[in-house]
Amino acid sequence: MDHRSKQYVQSLGLVPLPQEGGYFKETIRSPSKLPTKERDGGERNLYTTIYYMMTPELGGKNYLQRINSECVYYFHDGWPAKYVLVSPEGKYQEHILGHDVWRGHVLQLFVPTGYLKAGKILVQEEGWAKFPGEAPFTLVSEQVSPGFDPRDRPELRADNIKTSFPNLWPDLEEYLRPLEA
């Protein structure tokens, strides 16, 4: 039997994105435009939507990043994922994105503009495999508004994160891309 993650890669046309810890595919880029005078280029699509699937073989983490747009994650399948959010003022939050709402999981997760965000598959969680030995994965959709544009994602450096949030460094260090740690 194929692993569900491999079936999703094939069926949804996902492509590897190792620098982000998984696979993705942009599914919708709104044709409507929104003026963004404060951003390079002056306008963005109203929203964009992607499939994103974390897998251990590509890192298993949605590495720490800040996107200057609002994001909503929608859980679809697989293992639950722990997401951490940090407000610009340093307020730290943890959420479990998954389908077991009776255990405190959330099916949707809103990330405000300017927050740091990161996630990882909870591979130690049991009961999510559909057959013995199935490899862990987390499949979500992410909608970004104004639409995603790589110019809107500032580069995060480990020394800046450590300086800006010294009390949170032990919680955030594991979410840095391997080359940034």
Side-chain angles (χ1 to χ4, degrees), residues 81-100:
K82 175 177 152 182
Y83 272 82
V84 298
L85 308 179
V86 179
S87 74
E89 301 78 32
K91 181 182 176 198
Y92 179 87
Q93 303 172 34
E94 291 183 355
H95 303 273
I96 305 299
L97 194 60
H99 56 65
D100 195 345

Side-chain angles (χ1 to χ4, degrees), residues 68-82:
N68 292 327
S69 294
E70 295 179 343
C71 300
V72 181
Y73 286 93
Y74 303 92
F75 182 82
H76 293 300
D77 198 7
W79 277 244
K82 175 177 152 182

Side-chain angles (χ1 to χ4, degrees), residues 63-64 82 84 118-120 171-177:
Y63 296 112
L64 190 66
K82 175 177 152 182
V84 298
K120 69 178 180 179
D171 296 312
L172 298 177
E173 183 177 16
E174 74 169 294
Y175 293 101
L176 291 176
R177 284 180 185 83

Side-chain angles (χ1 to χ4, degrees), residues 61 63-64 155-162 169 172-181:
K61 292 181 182 165
Y63 296 112
L64 190 66
E155 181 180 336
L156 296 179
R157 294 185 31 215
D159 57 339
N160 290 345
I161 298 298
K162 194 172 189 176
W169 180 248
L172 298 177
E173 183 177 16
E174 74 169 294
Y175 293 101
L176 291 176
R177 284 180 185 83
L179 297 177
E180 296 173 359

